[in-house]
Amino acid sequence: MTSQPTPTKAASGPGGPGEPGGGLQAGLKNRHLSMIAIGGVIGAGLFVGSSSGIATAGPGILLSYALVGTLVVLVMRMLGEMSAANPTSGSFSAHADRALGRWAGFSIGWLYWFFWVVVLAVEATAGAKILEGWIPAVPQWGWALIVMVVLTATNLVSVGSYGEFEFWFAGIKVVAISAFVVIGGLAVFGVLPGVDAEQAGLGNLTGHGGFLPNGPGAILTGVLLVVFSFMGSEIATLAAGESEDPQRAVTKSTNSIIWRVGVFYLGSIFVVVALLPWNDPSIKEQGSYVAALDSLGIAHAGQIMNFIVLTSVLSCLNSGLYTASRMAFSLGQRRDAPKVFAKTTSRGVPMAAILASVVFGFVAVFFNYAYPKTIFLFLVNASGAVALFVWLVICFSQLRMRKIIQRESPEKVVVKMWLYPYLTWATAALIVFVLGYMLTDTEHDGRETVLLSLLVAAVVLAIAVIRQKRGAGAPHVHQVADDPRDEAPVKVG
């Protein structure tokens, strides 16, 4: 057994704990990290986006979720290996900086920040629609403003307040979806007392045109529709840098990713397609989970699911703002963003990074209301493939980082990627294949999403290369000392 590092009270910084600019602090408790890891994999997209996937692939959507789930498990294993060896608020961006070069850390860090800023606008609008339905006296834009202001205040107070809010948000999601899987599973096998579910049964998996009613190709189309609902699995590795025991937190979240994906994604989707025929009109009209609850005769199913979706939206907003600000903080530390982003308050909060992220989030919300079909649609599509870019960079970073860690500090390899390097290369190849297949998809905007995302990535990459040639930023030290528990910086080359 590898010995764990001694927990300390501050997470990073040259100024020392408790001083302005002293860096991030270890304000997240183990229970916070555990729930962030569990809840991070359950995005609001699972509840609201699964209907289109079921309509496209039928019961075969299970294979789409299994394929993407396997991809996520493999990518998170690679990220876990690197983050357990070097926990940092920059996570994969800092690892890419160290393994591939300044251009890689800069590019993927800013692309990831851009992704979450756009997500803030999408989720704020989704939450506002639900709240307006409950209390129409407040306009939708007013609810979006209220939600953003409240969660911004939460993040500004301390990392502990973020962790506490996320603990309860994620807890509600976990309890709700676990209850759905258990109750729905009992109904599928006909052992749920007091519920008359006439349509439920395993026959729904093959009895309405077969398991693949729209052909095998629909599995890949389903992949395109569900892949983005998995984004957020990596949040635990960013948050670990502000925990009491980063290495233990990363190791635990990495090892539990398999059952989390299996239970929450595959388990819940299996229940939906077994409770109802895949082509039941109610799945598309009401949403897959609401339709499934309705089929069991559960009263007020729509309002129950709206509450769960709202909780998921608030969780995503809370974590999105946290994640964007910590990535901005890490970029500021590496001089790849304004220096002020790396400054923290006496509570260890990167105030400038949070405020900058939320300002751009507000701008995106404004575009959503003022120019939904033009500017905002461009922003959404331009950030759509960033998840796949991040996963691809993680693959290439791990290929080099394993050699670096084994050469410099072999005792830090406490989480190992399986069948290295072959499975890493296979994962990278699968991601490239999915991106290539998206270019052939015109029905679900896959081609436009990839092309616009590549355009934005090319602009960011060009800026990174120009900066590197001009020698902008700090000297090229790959490991950023944002945690006093880290070893001395390791230089590559």
Side-chain angles (χ1 to χ4, degrees), residues 29 31-36 39 42 151 154 160-176 307-308 310-316 318-319:
K29 300 176 182 178
R31 66 181 178 88
H32 294 154
L33 261 293
S34 296
M35 197 55 74
I36 289 170
I42 310 173
L151 292 180
T154 299
S161 63
Y162 154 73
E164 199 62 34
F165 267 72
E166 189 58 23
F167 176 81
W168 292 106
F169 286 153
I172 292 172
K173 286 192 296 184
V174 169
V175 170
F307 173 73
I308 296 170
L310 177 63
T311 303
S312 296
V313 164
L314 294 176
S315 171
C316 191
N318 195 36
S319 288

Side-chain angles (χ1 to χ4, degrees), residues 75-372:
V75 170
M76 287 304 298
R77 188 75 186 179
M78 299 176 214
L79 182 56
E81 177 182 296
M82 295 184 289
S83 295
N86 181 26
T88 170
S89 60
S91 189
F92 51 83
S93 173
H95 302 323
D97 185 286
R98 183 182 177 191
L100 304 177
R102 290 290 299 281
W103 62 271
F106 177 95
S107 301
I108 205 64
W110 277 113
L111 284 173
Y112 189 70
W113 179 86
F114 171 60
F115 170 85
W116 280 109
V117 166
V118 175
V119 166
L120 290 179
V122 173
E123 300 295 343
T125 303
K129 286 180 180 177
I130 295 174
L131 290 166
E132 185 189 30
W134 291 344
I135 308 177
V138 179
Q140 194 179 119
W141 65 266
W143 279 120
L145 181 65
I146 291 170
V147 167
M148 290 279 279
V149 168
V150 169
L151 292 180
T152 300
T154 299
N155 275 264
L156 284 173
V157 171
S158 70
V159 67
S161 63
Y162 154 73
E164 199 62 34
F165 267 72
E166 189 58 23
F167 176 81
W168 292 106
F169 286 153
I172 292 172
K173 286 192 296 184
V174 169
V175 170
I177 202 165
S178 298
F180 177 83
V181 171
V182 172
I183 294 172
L186 292 174
V188 168
F189 293 103
V191 293
L192 184 64
V195 173
D196 182 21
E198 296 180 356
Q199 294 177 304
L202 297 178
N204 284 326
L205 299 178
T206 56
H208 303 274
F211 187 69
L212 297 172
N214 297 323
I219 296 173
L220 287 175
T221 305
V223 166
L224 308 185
L225 297 173
V226 306
V227 66
F228 306 110
S229 66
F230 282 84
M231 197 65 168
S233 307
E234 71 293 331
I235 292 175
T237 64
L238 280 87
E242 293 176 83
S243 69
E244 299 166 344
D245 191 343
Q247 190 182 76
R248 178 177 178 274
V250 170
T251 303
K252 189 175 180 180
S253 66
T254 301
N255 291 335
S256 65
I257 186 70
I258 297 176
W259 71 260
R260 286 185 279 137
V261 169
V263 172
F264 299 132
Y265 279 87
L266 293 178
S268 64
I269 294 298
F270 166 80
V271 167
V272 170
V273 295
L275 283 177
L276 288 169
W278 69 272
N279 54 0
D280 191 304
S282 64
I283 291 180
K284 202 165 187 180
E285 293 168 4
Q286 299 176 281
S288 53
Y289 288 81
V290 173
L293 289 176
D294 265 341
S295 74
L296 297 178
I298 295 178
H300 309 295
Q303 291 304 318
I304 292 172
M305 191 51 61
N306 273 339
F307 173 73
I308 296 170
V309 171
L310 177 63
T311 303
S312 296
V313 164
L314 294 176
S315 171
C316 191
L317 268 170
N318 195 36
S319 288
L321 183 53
Y322 171 83
T323 305
S325 65
R326 272 21 178 213
M327 186 57 72
F329 170 83
S330 178
L331 288 166
Q333 277 196 319
R334 288 176 274 149
R335 308 296 170 83
D336 285 335
K339 291 181 182 179
V340 69
F341 284 4
K343 292 184 178 180
T344 58
T345 65
S346 59
R347 292 176 176 265
V349 173
M351 181 180 291
I354 291 175
L355 293 177
S357 300
V358 81
V359 163
F360 279 91
F362 276 125
V363 170
V365 170
F366 168 75
F367 285 146
N368 193 12
Y369 289 110
Y371 311 102

Side-chain angles (χ1 to χ4, degrees), residues 74-83 92 95-100 390-406 413 415-428:
L74 294 173
V75 170
M76 287 304 298
R77 188 75 186 179
M78 299 176 214
L79 182 56
E81 177 182 296
M82 295 184 289
S83 295
F92 51 83
H95 302 323
D97 185 286
R98 183 182 177 191
L100 304 177
V390 167
W391 295 349
L392 196 58
V393 167
I394 289 173
C395 290
F396 291 127
S397 297
Q398 191 266 338
L399 283 169
R400 293 200 63 189
M401 187 66 83
R402 167 71 76 87
K403 297 176 181 177
I404 295 172
I405 299 172
Q406 284 184 326
V413 185
V415 176
K416 286 189 177 182
M417 175 59 183
W418 306 296
L419 298 177
Y420 169 84
Y422 309 107
L423 202 49
T424 301
W425 279 112
T427 305

Side-chain angles (χ1 to χ4, degrees), residues 59-73:
I61 194 67
L62 284 167
L63 297 180
S64 302
Y65 273 102
L67 187 60
V68 179
T70 301
L71 197 61
V72 170
V73 167

